[in-house]
Amino acid sequence: MHLVPSLLSLCQEAGQAICRHYYAPGDVEVKSKKDDSPLTRADLDSHVILRDGLKALSEDWPVLSEESSSEHKALRHAWSRFWMVDPLDGTKEFVAGNGEFTINIALIDEHRPVLGLLYLPLEHLAYVGLPGHFARRYALDNEGSWSYQSIATQPLQPDSALSVLVSRRHRDAKLRSCLDWLKTHWGEVERRNSGSALKFCRLAEGSGDFYPRFSPCCEWDVAAGQAIVEAAGGVILGLDGQPLRYNCRPSLLSPHFLTIAEPDNALWQRYLADHCK
């Protein structure tokens, strides 16, 4: 709880650095990393601000960022508590100019996200979750002050379309099969596309029912969202039906997962029985 004001200020600073590049004509120079994902100066500037700020905030907790060196990432299995950061989640959306990008910060403790923050630089909004304590949406006003509202996931409405949040750029066979199953067992399904970790924000604030992910992403793409969704009343489960755990595998790739707003609903119990082993 005491960390939240400092984290908000840090995200505001990193967000300003990102926006300077976003709004500067011709300033978005794109390079490709080894995995062919894009890298911009905005990613790197945000990384430096967040890395240095988190180190100053908590010297004993290492910082694992998407833009950390491979040598630094190799040390992670010795860490029981650390920050997991994506300094610019949704770089493709940043380059495309559609505004759908976030800053992701999670505090991992014994393989679980115990605090998550997702910051939307263009909207000056932050979603913060401490599982077991609170989920909030913070807004920055023109005077530089933060205010907040509590947020929560919403139950399914029997006579309404099922709102399924999906990644704008992914249309795989598993997703199509999932949507077909939902149409058979629920009825009307509304597919809502968006980029980056925004889908976690929408679900946590009650604007979505389900977010399945069957395409590749990394742990820093998911960890902050998991903390926020859990704090708001939902769950993120792997295809084994168990909550995701972090820093447990040789790679930093995330397993496929299901984000569920109302986990006790019979629809999801049936889906898990049919699809999770």
Side-chain angles (χ1 to χ4, degrees):
M1 174 66 176
H2 69 283
L3 296 170
V4 172
S6 297
L7 293 174
L8 291 172
S9 296
L10 188 57
C11 284
Q12 181 186 1
E13 181 183 356
Q16 288 172 341
I18 290 171
C19 288
R20 280 195 292 271
H21 293 286
Y22 187 74
Y23 289 121
D27 193 43
V28 181
E29 179 184 355
V30 184
K31 298 180 179 180
S32 293
K33 295 191 279 190
K34 291 181 180 179
D35 62 357
D36 290 329
S37 61
L39 177 67
T40 70
R41 173 53 59 183
D43 294 86
L44 298 175
D45 287 355
S46 179
H47 161 72
V48 171
I49 291 168
L50 296 172
R51 179 198 65 195
D52 293 350
L54 291 170
K55 284 182 178 179
L57 185 61
S58 51
E59 292 183 2
D60 296 334
W61 301 343
V63 178
L64 176 62
S65 165
E66 178 177 7
E67 310 310 336
S68 296
S69 68
S70 55
E71 292 79 11
H72 184 70
K73 290 174 182 174
L75 303 174
R76 71 185 188 278
H77 289 301
W79 305 339
S80 60
R81 173 174 283 209
F82 64 96
W83 297 104
M84 180 170 278
V85 176
D86 189 340
L88 176 50
D89 183 33
T91 303
K92 291 180 180 178
E93 315 305 333
F94 173 87
V95 173
N98 66 25
E100 295 180 347
F101 51 86
T102 60
I103 293 171
N104 305 356
I105 300 177
L107 179 60
I108 307 297
D109 186 44
E110 298 295 343
H111 309 292
R112 295 178 54 251
V114 295
L115 182 155
L117 188 153
L118 295 173
Y119 182 62
L120 287 56
L122 298 186
E123 300 178 43
H124 307 293
L125 290 175
Y127 292 76
V128 180
L130 275 74
H133 297 280
F134 66 76
R136 294 173 178 170
R137 181 179 58 241
Y138 287 80
L140 184 67
D141 65 24
N142 293 331
E143 305 300 321
S145 298
W146 292 94
S147 60
Y148 70 82
Q149 294 178 313
S150 295
I151 58 174
T153 59
Q154 296 300 307
L156 297 181
Q157 302 301 316
D159 297 325
S160 299
L162 187 72
S163 178
V164 181
L165 309 172
V166 297
S167 296
R168 180 181 301 284
R169 299 177 182 274
H170 299 113
R171 290 174 170 82
D172 53 88
K174 288 185 177 180
L175 177 58
R176 291 194 296 271
S177 176
C178 172
L179 294 175
D180 288 343
W181 188 97
L182 293 173
K183 290 174 183 177
T184 299
H185 293 83
W186 179 264
E188 185 179 358
V189 172
E190 176 190 12
R191 174 175 174 156
R192 300 176 60 191
N193 300 321
S194 68
S196 74
L198 287 170
K199 295 173 286 296
F200 298 120
C201 301
R202 302 299 175 243
L203 188 139
E205 68 184 357
S207 299
D209 300 313
F210 185 47
Y211 165 32
R213 179 81 182 214
F214 305 115
S215 51
C217 64
C218 290
E219 292 189 355
W220 46 67
D221 298 314
V222 187
Q226 180 169 345
I228 295 166
V229 167
E230 288 182 351
V235 294
I236 298 183
L237 305 176
L239 299 188
D240 59 357
Q242 299 300 312
L244 296 188
R245 290 169 59 81
Y246 296 82
N247 201 27
C248 299
R249 291 169 289 277
S251 141
L252 282 161
L253 286 173
S254 172
H256 297 165
F257 60 83
L258 310 168
T259 312
I260 300 171
E262 188 191 9
D264 293 334
N265 189 282
L267 176 70
W268 305 123
Q269 301 304 312
R270 184 170 182 180
Y271 185 91
L272 294 172
D274 286 354
H275 295 85
C276 296
K277 307 297 181 184

